Amino acid sequence: MAWFGRGGAKRRQSDFEKEVLPHLDALYSAALRLTRSPEDAEDLVQDAVLKAFRFYDRFEAGTNFRAWLQRILINTFINRYRRAARERKAFEGPMAQPVGDGVMSRAALRRLREPVSEAERRLLAAEIEAALERLPEEYRLIVLLADVEELTYREIAEVLGCPIGTVMSRLHRARGAMKTQLVAQARSLGILSDEVEPDDESEQAAEPVSLDRYRRQREAAR
Amino acid sequence: MSNCAHVQRQLSAYVDGELDPATHVQVEEHTCTCDECLEHLLFERSFRDQVRSAISDVSAPAELSQRVRVSLVEAAGAEPSGIRAKLPPPRVLIVLAAAASVGLAFWPGGLLDQGRTTAATLAPMLRDVVRLHSNALPSDIPEAEGDRVQRYFRGKVEFPVRPARFERPDVRLVGARLSNVRERQAAALFYDVHGRRVTVVVFEFPSTPAAAFDEPFEQRDSHVFYQDIQGYTVPVRNHAGLSYAFAGDLDRRALLQLAASARVSD
């Protein structure tokens, strides 16, 4: 470690500390999503903050500090915590299904984008989380980076060390798989009826969500 | 329109803002006039929002900010205030566990409150620890087993004395002695480590700046706080508000590893 003189080092450290502490919650959230373990998440945040501190002079004042910290966190994660990244399991499970363009009717599209009640909104959110969890690690990570951390395709490609085309196709497949699963679940929950005429306006009548049915289904799934 | 299939394939990238300007405009114009593609676009946007809000943010655990601050202070090599120039700065050394079989139980506690000034207060106490070791005083009790030692100190010191244990066959507790560190009561525990003497002194000093972690670890690094005192390296561990300071006739690394591997049963 370079010594900047004792006073200098102390000042730098306390400045940096003041800047970093407000971002800890966001960093921890991201770390938890990535590592899926509270202990690993804490370690990851600590490692990332230390790394950021070491490279503090490379940060351009006036640019987005949080985004800079986030990039470091993600890079640290990629370098240290990912296991056997290049799995060839890309075509198992939900990824095996072809992502057809006509998979969703207009009525289904309309129905799913506007939950009729808070309860339904929460049900759908739970299904989305479940669908995300079901994705293989590589695909799950890409969806997180794109949709939650909001990195650009180029940034994702840099961070993952793969071509931008791979990022786009994986993202497409991952989202497709999630949508397919969402539609299937919405059908079994009764949010979407099984037979829906593509342009039949009468099908737009909201179906009441059956919590009983949801609970029974959850029980059966265990 | 045969265009629709093409446009719909672009919608994902459109919502992500990743289309080149020309294509972006094409898609935008198309969706203004095509109901079906608009429907798909609205869904795509909503799906993106739903994914984002389904993954909610959590708060960081309270001790994380403490932990981060400690590691920043150490990384900066910041000097504790009020320290006399000739005293070496306290440091934290990362000691690798010897092997997974050296089952380490992590010692909880070790909160850093005023780490900088505690290091200054600690130094004179550690000098006493060194003195205790180098004087090689005799044991107060003839036979030292964990239980006996604990019972011996009951009533003599105002804290429970639980000897440090080591999962090594070459480490034996051989004696104990009632003593003091500065004006505080202390329990000196004598160990034989592969033929060499090691003294572990237990005393009340809750806020030793030892970065301790709660999770049990297998092959992880352990953080052990130490100070160099009069030629001895003195590692200090924390448990339940008590400090365990190690002074021994081992080389520095061996002593640090020994300290890192110590366990205390509750």
Side-chain angles (χ1 to χ4, degrees), chain A residues 100-112:
Chain A
D101 283 329
V103 71
M104 297 176 76
S105 69
R106 284 182 66 177
L109 291 172
R110 213 172 307 152
R111 186 72 184 80
L112 286 178

PDB file of all heavy atoms in Angstrom, chain A residues 100-112:
ATOM      1  N   GLY A 100     -41.303 -18.748 -28.427  1.00  0.00           N
ATOM      2  CA  GLY A 100     -42.055 -18.376 -29.625  1.00  0.00           C
ATOM      3  C   GLY A 100     -42.473 -16.916 -29.580  1.00  0.00           C
ATOM      4  O   GLY A 100     -42.669 -16.342 -28.531  1.00  0.00           O
ATOM      5  N   ASP A 101     -42.608 -16.337 -30.728  1.00  0.00           N
ATOM      6  CA  ASP A 101     -43.037 -14.939 -30.762  1.00  0.00           C
ATOM      7  C   ASP A 101     -44.514 -14.811 -30.457  1.00  0.00           C
ATOM      8  O   ASP A 101     -44.966 -13.814 -29.941  1.00  0.00           O
ATOM      9  CB  ASP A 101     -42.749 -14.328 -32.137  1.00  0.00           C
ATOM     10  CG  ASP A 101     -41.273 -14.005 -32.282  1.00  0.00           C
ATOM     11  OD1 ASP A 101     -40.648 -13.692 -31.255  1.00  0.00           O
ATOM     12  OD2 ASP A 101     -40.755 -14.088 -33.403  1.00  0.00           O
ATOM     13  N   GLY A 102     -45.273 -15.816 -30.791  1.00  0.00           N
ATOM     14  CA  GLY A 102     -46.719 -15.698 -30.611  1.00  0.00           C
ATOM     15  C   GLY A 102     -47.198 -16.329 -29.328  1.00  0.00           C
ATOM     16  O   GLY A 102     -48.323 -16.782 -29.223  1.00  0.00           O
ATOM     17  N   VAL A 103     -46.315 -16.358 -28.319  1.00  0.00           N
ATOM     18  CA  VAL A 103     -46.676 -17.107 -27.124  1.00  0.00           C
ATOM     19  C   VAL A 103     -47.780 -16.447 -26.310  1.00  0.00           C
ATOM     20  O   VAL A 103     -48.475 -17.090 -25.568  1.00  0.00           O
ATOM     21  CB  VAL A 103     -45.403 -17.329 -26.252  1.00  0.00           C
ATOM     22  CG1 VAL A 103     -44.955 -16.006 -25.621  1.00  0.00           C
ATOM     23  CG2 VAL A 103     -45.630 -18.364 -25.187  1.00  0.00           C
ATOM     24  N   MET A 104     -47.944 -15.161 -26.496  1.00  0.00           N
ATOM     25  CA  MET A 104     -48.939 -14.496 -25.679  1.00  0.00           C
ATOM     26  C   MET A 104     -49.979 -13.780 -26.531  1.00  0.00           C
ATOM     27  O   MET A 104     -49.650 -12.991 -27.398  1.00  0.00           O
ATOM     28  CB  MET A 104     -48.256 -13.484 -24.764  1.00  0.00           C
ATOM     29  CG  MET A 104     -47.313 -14.165 -23.784  1.00  0.00           C
ATOM     30  SD  MET A 104     -46.404 -13.008 -22.760  1.00  0.00           S
ATOM     31  CE  MET A 104     -47.679 -12.532 -21.629  1.00  0.00           C
ATOM     32  N   SER A 105     -51.204 -14.063 -26.229  1.00  0.00           N
ATOM     33  CA  SER A 105     -52.286 -13.391 -26.947  1.00  0.00           C
ATOM     34  C   SER A 105     -52.393 -11.960 -26.444  1.00  0.00           C
ATOM     35  O   SER A 105     -51.888 -11.623 -25.376  1.00  0.00           O
ATOM     36  CB  SER A 105     -53.597 -14.125 -26.682  1.00  0.00           C
ATOM     37  OG  SER A 105     -53.960 -13.919 -25.330  1.00  0.00           O
ATOM     38  N   ARG A 106     -53.055 -11.148 -27.191  1.00  0.00           N
ATOM     39  CA  ARG A 106     -53.199  -9.744 -26.783  1.00  0.00           C
ATOM     40  C   ARG A 106     -53.925  -9.632 -25.454  1.00  0.00           C
ATOM     41  O   ARG A 106     -53.588  -8.795 -24.621  1.00  0.00           O
ATOM     42  CB  ARG A 106     -53.956  -8.976 -27.862  1.00  0.00           C
ATOM     43  CG  ARG A 106     -53.089  -8.675 -29.072  1.00  0.00           C
ATOM     44  CD  ARG A 106     -53.828  -7.879 -30.087  1.00  0.00           C
ATOM     45  NE  ARG A 106     -54.141  -6.554 -29.580  1.00  0.00           N
ATOM     46  CZ  ARG A 106     -54.747  -5.614 -30.316  1.00  0.00           C
ATOM     47  NH1 ARG A 106     -55.099  -5.888 -31.563  1.00  0.00           N
ATOM     48  NH2 ARG A 106     -55.000  -4.436 -29.811  1.00  0.00           N
ATOM     49  N   ALA A 107     -54.909 -10.479 -25.293  1.00  0.00           N
ATOM     50  CA  ALA A 107     -55.655 -10.425 -24.036  1.00  0.00           C
ATOM     51  C   ALA A 107     -54.757 -10.783 -22.864  1.00  0.00           C
ATOM     52  O   ALA A 107     -54.820 -10.157 -21.798  1.00  0.00           O
ATOM     53  CB  ALA A 107     -56.855 -11.358 -24.106  1.00  0.00           C
ATOM     54  N   ALA A 108     -53.918 -11.779 -23.081  1.00  0.00           N
ATOM     55  CA  ALA A 108     -53.007 -12.184 -22.011  1.00  0.00           C
ATOM     56  C   ALA A 108     -52.045 -11.040 -21.684  1.00  0.00           C
ATOM     57  O   ALA A 108     -51.772 -10.741 -20.521  1.00  0.00           O
ATOM     58  CB  ALA A 108     -52.231 -13.430 -22.416  1.00  0.00           C
ATOM     59  N   LEU A 109     -51.536 -10.413 -22.742  1.00  0.00           N
ATOM     60  CA  LEU A 109     -50.611  -9.295 -22.541  1.00  0.00           C
ATOM     61  C   LEU A 109     -51.264  -8.206 -21.701  1.00  0.00           C
ATOM     62  O   LEU A 109     -50.673  -7.690 -20.752  1.00  0.00           O
ATOM     63  CB  LEU A 109     -50.225  -8.680 -23.898  1.00  0.00           C
ATOM     64  CG  LEU A 109     -49.357  -9.519 -24.821  1.00  0.00           C
ATOM     65  CD1 LEU A 109     -49.251  -8.828 -26.176  1.00  0.00           C
ATOM     66  CD2 LEU A 109     -47.973  -9.707 -24.240  1.00  0.00           C
ATOM     67  N   ARG A 110     -52.489  -7.898 -22.097  1.00  0.00           N
ATOM     68  CA  ARG A 110     -53.191  -6.836 -21.403  1.00  0.00           C
ATOM     69  C   ARG A 110     -53.471  -7.219 -19.961  1.00  0.00           C
ATOM     70  O   ARG A 110     -53.287  -6.428 -19.035  1.00  0.00           O
ATOM     71  CB  ARG A 110     -54.512  -6.563 -22.120  1.00  0.00           C
ATOM     72  CG  ARG A 110     -54.959  -5.120 -22.084  1.00  0.00           C
ATOM     73  CD  ARG A 110     -56.150  -4.911 -22.971  1.00  0.00           C
ATOM     74  NE  ARG A 110     -55.906  -5.401 -24.324  1.00  0.00           N
ATOM     75  CZ  ARG A 110     -56.851  -5.838 -25.158  1.00  0.00           C
ATOM     76  NH1 ARG A 110     -58.091  -5.878 -24.791  1.00  0.00           N
ATOM     77  NH2 ARG A 110     -56.536  -6.258 -26.369  1.00  0.00           N
ATOM     78  N   ARG A 111     -53.895  -8.433 -19.790  1.00  0.00           N
ATOM     79  CA  ARG A 111     -54.284  -8.897 -18.465  1.00  0.00           C
ATOM     80  C   ARG A 111     -53.119  -8.864 -17.489  1.00  0.00           C
ATOM     81  O   ARG A 111     -53.243  -8.480 -16.329  1.00  0.00           O
ATOM     82  CB  ARG A 111     -54.839 -10.326 -18.587  1.00  0.00           C
ATOM     83  CG  ARG A 111     -55.408 -10.889 -17.334  1.00  0.00           C
ATOM     84  CD  ARG A 111     -56.727 -10.218 -16.995  1.00  0.00           C
ATOM     85  NE  ARG A 111     -57.211 -10.724 -15.712  1.00  0.00           N
ATOM     86  CZ  ARG A 111     -56.772 -10.296 -14.542  1.00  0.00           C
ATOM     87  NH1 ARG A 111     -55.842  -9.352 -14.501  1.00  0.00           N
ATOM     88  NH2 ARG A 111     -57.230 -10.808 -13.420  1.00  0.00           N
ATOM     89  N   LEU A 112     -51.973  -9.299 -17.979  1.00  0.00           N
ATOM     90  CA  LEU A 112     -50.840  -9.432 -17.073  1.00  0.00           C
ATOM     91  C   LEU A 112     -50.122  -8.128 -16.766  1.00  0.00           C
ATOM     92  O   LEU A 112     -49.390  -8.043 -15.791  1.00  0.00           O
ATOM     93  CB  LEU A 112     -49.830 -10.446 -17.623  1.00  0.00           C
ATOM     94  CG  LEU A 112     -50.260 -11.896 -17.515  1.00  0.00           C
ATOM     95  CD1 LEU A 112     -49.202 -12.806 -18.124  1.00  0.00           C
ATOM     96  CD2 LEU A 112     -50.493 -12.290 -16.056  1.00  0.00           C
TER      97      LEU A 112
END
